[in-house]
Amino acid sequence: MMADDQSHYIELSGNPIKFEPISRQTNVFYDEVKRQVFAVRSGGAFGVVVRGTDEKTSTTFRMEDKGPVVSIKFSADLKILAVQRSQRTVEFINFNSGNADAVEYSQTCKGKSTKIIGFNWINATEIIFITDHGLELYQVTAEKRMLRALKTLNISINWFTFMVDSSLLLVSSSTLGNTLTPFHFRPGNIMKLPKFEVDLPAVPKPPKLTLLERDVTIAILYSVIYVVVLRHQPRGPSNKGAEIVLYQLQRESPAKKTDVLRLNMSGRFAVNVVDNLVVVHHQASKTSMIFDIGLTPGETDNNCNYHHPVLAPLPIRPVKLKVAGIPTQTGLEMREVGVELYSPNWVVFQPNIVIDAKLGCLWHISLRLDALVPMIPDKCRLIDFLLLRKDSKKVILNVLQTALVPGQHCPLSTIAKIFNKLNEVYQAYLAEHHGMQGEEAASTRNQPSARVPAALRVVIDQSDMYTHVLTPVAERKDMNHKFLVAVLVEYIRSLNQYQIPVQHFLYELVINTLVHHNCFYQLHQFLQYHVLSDSKPIACLLLSLESCYPPAYQLALDMLKRLTTANEEIIEVLLSKNQILAALRFLRSVGGADSASARKFLEAAMNASDDMLFFTVFKFFEQRNLRLRGNPLFVPGGFLFSPPGTIPSSVHTYLYQGNNPSRTITLRLNTG
C-alpha cells in the first residue's frame, strides 16, 4: 500500500459502471429500485441503453419518441417497462426475452387537476403512483395490457422518497413540508404508519416549503429503519454548523428522534450509508466524514444521543479513469485521467451510490478498513468500531496480533479490556445460537452494546484467537514468555468472566509455554489454584510431562479424580504404571469392582512377573465371583482347567496363560 493511500478511509469502486453521459440528445435516469441507469437517446428513438450492477440486468432497446421522458423504470422481473412522459399519464411496454413489444398501453391518474410526482414498482406486477393529491396503487396485467386500481389514498403531497429494501414510502405534507407520513406496502395493500413532524431550526415568514426532498432520505442502520434529515442551521453568531437528525420509525407510534450527528460545517452535503455507517460528503471542503451510531455516543440526554465523526474529515481516495486517447495503427491508445471528486455533477443515491451523469460513471462507495486502523490510536475504541463492521474479522485479528508484538505491545490492562469486548460479543452470539439461559442470557441482554444485534457484530471465537493470534505470537523468538503467559491467563480470565467454557487447546498453550521455559513451579501453582481448569486432555498432557517434571504424574491423577467422570482413565494409568493393587483399591472405592474385567487386571499382574501379586489379584476376583454368583470358579475365557480326576477333588488347579502361551501360571488351591 502506497503512503498516500494511508490518508483516505473512503474510496470509490475500482470498476465503475459506465454509461453514455448526459448531453443534448441523451437524458440519463437512475432507478433506485432496480439500481439501473437508463441512457435515453432522442426520447428512445435512437435507443435506450440500460446498465445495472448485474450484467444480466443490462440491455438495449428502442422505443417510439413520444416526447421527453420524465421517468423510466423496469418492473422487478424486467418484463414490463414503465415510462412517464407527462404529468398525468404513465405508459407501459411489455418485454419478452429482452425484446420490446410494439404495442404500448397506459394509465392516467385519477382527478382532472391531479399531477403525477413520480412512480415506483412495488413488485413484479404492482406499481404505485405518487401524485400531489395522494397515492394510487395499481396491478399491471401484462397479458391483457391493462391496469386495475387496487387502492387509493387521499393526502396532500409535496415530495416523496422510497426505499425498496423495506417497501417503505415517505411523503411530505403541510406548508412547511415537515409533516412526514410513512407508508408500508404489502401485496395488494398500503399500510399507513403514524405521521410525525420534523423539527425545523427556523420558520420563514411568510411560511413556505422549507424541508426539501434533497435533505431527507431513508436508511437502514443496524437493521433499524431511520428517516435521515439534514438540518441546516440559520446564519448567526451561534451557528454551530449543520446537523443530521435520525428519526427511528415505529409501527404503532410516531417516529422517535433518537440520534443527532453533529457535522460542525455548513454548506452542501450528501449522505450515503456504508456498512451501517452514515457517510457525509461535504462539497465545499471536498471531504467526507463517517458516523457510527453503534458506538457509545459523545453526549446523551437520555432521549437522544449526540455523535461526532469517528475520524476527522478526509477526502475520498483519488481515482482515475481509462479513456480513449490518440488513435494508433492498432486502435485507440488508452490513457488515464483523474476524476474530479465532489463534482457539482455528482448525484448521490442510497445506500452507497454516486453517479456522475456528465462523466457517465456510477460508483459504489466503500470503506477502507486497513487504511483506517492506524488513524484510531485508541485500541479499545478501534476494536469497538471494527466489531461492528461486516468483513472486519481479518483486520481485527491483525490488530490483536500487532497489539501483542514485542517492543510495541499494548499494556496488559488495555489487552484485558480488548478481550472483554471480544468475549462480550462472543457470549451474545452463543446466547443467540446455543440457547444460553438464566443469568447468562440476562447478562447478555444488559450489555452496553445491546443496541446492535449480535448477528450484526463480528464474532472472534477461541479458535480464531488460538490460530491467528496467540499461536503466531507464541512462536516468535523474541517473545517474552512471561508476558505471553500473562496474556493467555488474561484471555482465560475474560472467558470465565463471560461464562464461556474454555477450550483445552488454550490451556495446552499455557502449559507448553511454561514447560518450554522450565517454569514448573508456576505451572504447579496454576494447577493447584485452578487457573487451569480440569479436563481429560490436560490430564493426559500432564502425564506426558512426567519425564521432565515427575510431580506432573500425581497432578494428572488428582485432576482425573476431581473430574469424577474419568474412573476408567485413572485405572488405565495405574495399570500402565504397574500399580495394580492401587488400581484395585480405587476400583473398589468407586464401586466398580463388580463390573470390572478380571482379564485386564490379571493380564497386568502377569506382565509384572510377580507371582504373589498375581495370586493376590486372582484371589480378589475369585472372592468377587463367590459373592456375585455363589461360585468361586471363573467363567471360561482364558482359564484352562485341569482334567477331572487328575488331582484330588479338594484341590482346584487353574492354568492361566493369558495372551502369552509360552508362560503359564499354575495355581493349586486346597478348598478342603
Side-chain angles (χ1 to χ4, degrees):
M1 185 180 294
M2 297 176 62
D4 60 343
D5 285 350
Q6 298 287 357
S7 57
H8 310 281
Y9 52 77
I10 299 291
E11 68 180 353
L12 303 176
S13 50
N15 295 314
I17 296 172
K18 295 183 180 181
F19 53 90
E20 186 173 339
I22 192 169
S23 64
R24 289 184 179 181
Q25 292 78 29
T26 303
N27 288 330
V28 175
F29 303 91
Y30 179 68
D31 176 14
E32 291 186 82
V33 175
K34 291 298 294 179
R35 295 183 170 91
Q36 292 175 318
V37 179
F38 290 77
V40 182
R41 304 169 183 163
S42 302
F46 288 174
V48 178
V49 180
V50 185
R51 292 284 181 266
T53 54
D54 184 357
E55 285 297 326
K56 295 179 181 178
T57 64
S58 299
T59 185
T60 302
F61 59 90
R62 293 179 183 272
M63 60 184 186
E64 186 178 348
D65 183 4
K66 295 182 179 180
V69 174
V70 177
S71 182
I72 180 169
K73 298 173 182 179
F74 265 116
S75 61
D77 58 5
L78 304 177
K79 291 184 178 180
I80 308 173
L81 179 71
V83 184
Q84 181 186 353
R85 292 188 176 93
S86 71
Q87 292 183 330
R88 293 188 41 76
T89 303
V90 176
E91 297 163 346
F92 297 87
I93 305 172
N94 293 340
F95 275 72
N96 185 16
S97 301
N99 298 317
D101 193 338
V103 180
E104 296 186 8
Y105 51 104
S106 64
Q107 177 66 46
T108 302
C109 62
K110 301 180 183 298
K112 294 182 179 180
S113 61
T114 303
K115 297 179 182 178
I116 298 175
I117 302 174
F119 67 88
N120 272 303
W121 287 97
I122 304 303
N123 52 49
T125 59
E126 291 181 5
I127 193 168
I128 184 75
F129 288 4
I130 302 96
T131 73
D132 55 355
H133 284 66
L135 305 178
E136 301 175 14
L137 182 63
Y138 293 94
Q139 183 179 55
V140 185
T141 305
E143 296 80 7
K144 298 181 179 180
R145 296 188 179 89
M146 61 172 288
L147 279 77
R148 180 170 67 92
L150 297 177
K151 191 159 188 178
T152 302
L153 291 176
N154 295 322
I155 179 175
S156 176
I157 298 177
N158 300 313
W159 49 261
F160 72 94
T161 182
F162 181 73
M163 171 174 272
V164 62
D165 295 334
S166 54
S167 295
L168 193 74
L169 178 74
L170 187 71
V171 303
S172 161
S173 304
S174 74
T175 303
L176 298 173
N178 65 328
T179 300
L180 302 182
T181 307
F183 294 91
H184 179 66
F185 294 94
R186 293 177 178 173
N189 197 15
I190 307 173
M191 184 172 69
K192 182 180 179 181
L193 301 179
K195 65 181 179 180
F196 64 100
E197 286 195 359
V198 170
D199 299 332
L200 296 175
V203 177
K205 295 181 180 180
K208 64 177 182 178
L209 188 62
T210 303
L211 186 63
L212 305 177
E213 178 185 356
R214 69 187 183 199
D215 295 330
V216 179
T217 188
I218 306 172
I220 298 178
L221 301 172
Y222 299 112
S223 298
V224 177
I225 302 174
Y226 292 90
V227 175
V228 181
V229 179
L230 175 61
R231 187 165 64 181
H232 299 276
Q233 299 294 344
R235 294 180 180 179
S238 61
N239 183 1
K240 297 182 180 180
E243 296 178 336
I244 288 179
V245 184
L246 302 184
Y247 293 85
Q248 182 179 331
L249 284 185
Q250 315 282 325
R251 185 173 291 273
E252 305 296 337
S253 57
K256 178 183 178 183
K257 178 181 173 182
T258 59
D259 298 86
V260 174
L261 314 182
R262 291 184 165 160
L263 306 181
N264 299 318
M265 293 180 179
S266 298
R268 291 186 61 185
F269 297 92
V271 176
N272 279 128
V273 174
V274 178
D275 201 2
N276 292 310
L277 295 171
V278 179
V279 182
V280 183
H281 310 290
H282 185 231
Q283 189 179 42
S285 65
K286 295 186 181 298
T287 59
S288 300
M289 60 191 103
I290 55 176
F291 293 86
D292 189 353
I293 66 170
L295 295 177
T296 303
E299 311 165 44
T300 183
D301 60 7
N302 296 323
N303 294 318
C304 186
N305 298 320
Y306 297 86
H307 304 266
H308 296 280
V310 175
L311 292 164
L314 287 174
I316 294 173
R317 183 186 183 189
V319 62
K320 293 184 178 181
L321 277 181
K322 288 186 176 181
V323 297
I326 304 171
T328 64
Q329 293 180 349
T330 57
L332 291 176
E333 179 183 331
M334 302 302 290
R335 61 188 180 91
E336 288 188 338
V337 296
V339 173
E340 181 187 358
L341 301 178
Y342 305 94
S343 164
N345 301 314
W346 275 20
V347 183
V348 169
F349 295 96
Q350 298 307 317
N352 64 334
I353 303 294
V354 171
I355 293 179
D356 190 324
K358 195 170 183 180
L359 200 59
C361 288
L362 180 152
W363 292 278
H364 293 87
I365 292 282
S366 60
L367 191 66
R368 304 181 65 235
L369 286 179
D370 288 333
L372 180 145
V373 166
M375 299 182 190
I376 306 180
D378 184 341
K379 288 294 187 289
C380 290
R381 183 170 174 80
L382 175 61
I383 292 297
D384 282 337
F385 178 82
L386 292 175
L387 285 171
L388 297 171
R389 307 285 72 82
K390 184 179 178 182
D391 299 315
S392 63
K393 176 176 280 194
K394 184 178 178 181
V395 178
I396 293 174
L397 295 173
N398 288 336
V399 169
L400 294 173
Q401 193 176 134
T402 303
L404 302 179
V405 169
Q408 58 186 37
H409 63 72
C410 295
L412 194 60
S413 58
T414 301
I415 294 171
K417 292 178 183 177
I418 291 174
F419 287 161
N420 286 345
K421 292 178 183 296
L422 300 179
N423 291 327
E424 176 186 313
V425 178
Y426 188 13
Q427 183 207 36
Y429 169 82
L430 293 174
E432 194 168 289
H433 289 79
H434 300 287
M436 286 167 53
Q437 298 177 352
E439 294 181 2
E440 298 178 16
S443 65
T444 301
R445 287 192 295 270
N446 295 329
Q447 288 167 0
S449 57
R451 181 178 184 181
V452 180
L456 297 179
R457 291 177 284 174
V458 174
V459 177
I460 306 295
D461 60 23
Q462 297 175 67
S463 179
D464 295 324
M465 285 293 296
Y466 177 80
T467 304
H468 302 289
V469 180
L470 299 175
T471 299
V473 169
E475 291 174 349
R476 290 181 63 103
K477 294 182 179 179
D478 57 347
M479 189 66 195
N480 184 313
H481 71 276
K482 293 182 179 179
F483 178 73
L484 174 61
V485 170
V487 168
L488 291 169
V489 171
E490 197 59 54
Y491 184 60
I492 292 170
R493 173 212 56 82
S494 179
L495 291 169
N496 288 326
Q497 177 178 325
Y498 286 93
Q499 300 174 316
I500 301 171
V502 182
Q503 297 294 323
H504 68 87
F505 49 71
L506 293 174
Y507 292 136
E508 290 178 1
L509 186 56
V510 176
I511 294 172
N512 289 333
T513 302
L514 292 172
V515 171
H516 183 70
H517 293 89
N518 296 317
C519 300
F520 295 111
Y521 177 72
Q522 190 176 3
L523 172 60
H524 204 119
Q525 283 190 313
F526 281 179
L527 293 167
Q528 188 174 0
Y529 293 103
H530 304 292
V531 175
L532 307 178
S533 298
D534 298 340
S535 71
K536 291 180 183 180
I538 297 303
C540 293
L541 178 59
L542 290 174
L543 288 172
S544 69
L545 299 175
E546 183 185 8
S547 59
C548 59
Y549 185 57
Y553 171 73
Q554 190 58 48
L555 289 170
L557 281 183
D558 293 341
M559 181 178 289
L560 291 172
K561 182 67 164 58
R562 289 193 298 270
L563 288 172
T564 70
T565 58
N567 295 338
E568 286 290 333
E569 287 80 359
I570 292 174
I571 290 171
E572 292 294 338
V573 170
L574 292 172
L575 291 179
S576 69
K577 303 290 286 186
N578 285 329
Q579 297 183 16
I580 301 165
L581 296 183
L584 286 176
R585 285 192 292 270
F586 176 76
L587 186 67
R588 189 162 50 188
S589 71
V590 297
D594 292 350
S595 59
S597 168
R599 172 178 284 276
K600 178 191 294 186
F601 286 84
L602 290 168
E603 287 282 1
M606 185 177 183
N607 293 333
S609 300
D610 184 337
D611 291 349
M612 183 55 67
L613 174 63
F614 183 89
F615 178 80
T616 304
V617 174
F618 183 89
K619 289 296 294 180
F620 175 87
F621 284 104
E622 188 181 54
Q623 291 172 5
R624 183 192 72 171
N625 295 342
L626 184 63
R627 186 179 73 255
L628 294 179
R629 300 198 306 273
N631 188 337
L633 298 179
F634 287 85
V635 175
F639 290 95
L640 303 178
F641 300 95
S642 58
T646 58
I647 56 175
S649 61
S650 61
V651 177
H652 295 291
T653 301
Y654 297 88
L655 301 178
Y656 183 73
Q657 289 182 324
N659 293 326
N660 186 4
S662 63
R663 183 165 183 266
T664 302
I665 292 180
T666 304
L667 295 177
R668 292 190 178 185
L669 305 178
N670 191 336
T671 59

